[in-house]
Amino acid sequence: GNSVTQMEGPVTLSEEAFLTINCTYTATGYPSLFWYVQYPGEGLQLLLKATKADDKGSNKGFEATYRKETTSFHLEKGSVQVSDSAVYFCALTQAGNKLTFGGGTRVLVKP
Amino acid sequence: NAGVMQNPRHLVRRRGQEARLRCSPMKGHSHVYWYRQLPEEGLKFMVYLQKENIIDESGMPKERFSAEFPKEGPSILRIQQVVRGDSAAYFCASSPPRRASDSDEQYFGPGTRLTVT
């Protein structure tokens, strides 16, 4: 079956630092890949997505590139802010069906 | 355009009672998904429904749990005879029809936090 593995947190950074959260996946075929963000007490918000190999998703300064050769979809941001403190989930879906999530990575940005 | 709505936001039930969680998808969305998030864990898929049909219930426990998405009204996730292990956040998501360009995107509601005492 499909699976998603992402680095465990928490990740603690200072403001303006560079953020990378690693995500790798196992799936047959060509899944669509997503990053979701969850702020405390809230639901998940779609952050970005990529639907085919070498696609780059980007939003709010975050980027991730769909790497089929390494089955990875690492999330990056060049300069984090305190407001980026949240839990980030990598996920995949095939044919628009259920999402398979990684375990989540908690990010804490300190001023 | 209102987002996915879930109610109640918080629900407290004693062991043995029934919990009923409601989800109204985004306007124009015909697919509903339920996920469960245990404390400090990721989300696990439970069930996928279209109007009046269960498409995939592979993640739903065989006993005590059921889900429906009637022709009219919200989707309902029902948990009978709740136990402490059912305490979790339950999230609903919806997605557009398959013909839409963003049909693989799921939009999440704020969740229902169930506490079983």
Side-chain angles (χ1 to χ4, degrees), chain A residues 13-14 16-20 75-80:
Chain A
L13 302 164
S14 297
E16 299 184 3
F18 185 88
L19 171 68
T20 299
L75 182 68
E76 297 181 337
K77 186 174 185 182
S79 177
V80 293

Side-chain angles (χ1 to χ4, degrees), chain A residues 32 34 36 38 41-44 46 49 51 89 93 95-99 101-103 106, chain B residues 9 33 35 37 40-43 45 48 56 58 91 98 102 104-106 108-110 113:
Chain A
S32 294
F34 303 85
Y36 281 86
Q38 184 179 33
E42 298 184 10
L44 274 69
L46 178 61
K49 77 171 192 180
T51 58
F89 292 96
T93 187
N97 292 317
K98 62 186 177 183
L99 283 164
F101 286 91
R106 183 178 301 277
Chain B
R9 294 291 305 274
Y33 310 78
Y35 296 85
Q37 184 179 34
E40 302 302 319
E41 293 188 13
L43 280 76
F45 167 78
Y48 163 32
D56 180 356
S58 60
F91 290 97
R98 288 292 173 258
D102 59 347
D104 61 352
E105 295 180 11
Q106 294 184 21
F108 283 77
R113 281 153 182 81

Side-chain angles (χ1 to χ4, degrees), chain A residues 4-41:
Chain A
V4 176
T5 302
Q6 58 183 107
M7 60 189 288
E8 291 189 18
V11 174
T12 303
L13 302 164
S14 297
E15 216 167 12
E16 299 184 3
F18 185 88
L19 171 68
T20 299
I21 304 176
N22 291 339
C23 171
T24 57
Y25 68 90
T26 301
T28 55
Y30 299 92
S32 294
L33 303 175
F34 303 85
W35 277 99
Y36 281 86
V37 57
Q38 184 179 33
Y39 298 101

Side-chain angles (χ1 to χ4, degrees), chain B residues 12-71:
Chain B
V12 179
R13 285 287 178 266
R14 290 198 179 95
R15 279 179 297 171
Q17 291 184 321
E18 178 179 286
R20 191 171 297 201
L21 288 61
R22 296 175 186 78
C23 168
S24 296
M26 288 179 67
K27 186 177 180 181
H29 286 193
S30 52
H31 303 262
V32 165
Y33 310 78
W34 286 92
Y35 296 85
R36 177 165 62 178
Q37 184 179 34
L38 295 170
E40 302 302 319
E41 293 188 13
L43 280 76
K44 303 295 185 188
F45 167 78
M46 299 182 74
V47 63
Y48 163 32
L49 311 103
Q50 294 181 27
K51 284 286 186 181
E52 301 184 278
N53 289 304
I54 295 175
I55 306 301
D56 180 356
E57 56 182 349
S58 60
M60 200 141 76
K62 293 290 186 287
E63 297 179 354
R64 301 189 298 108
F65 286 73
S66 63
E68 62 178 7
F69 188 17
K71 188 176 181 180

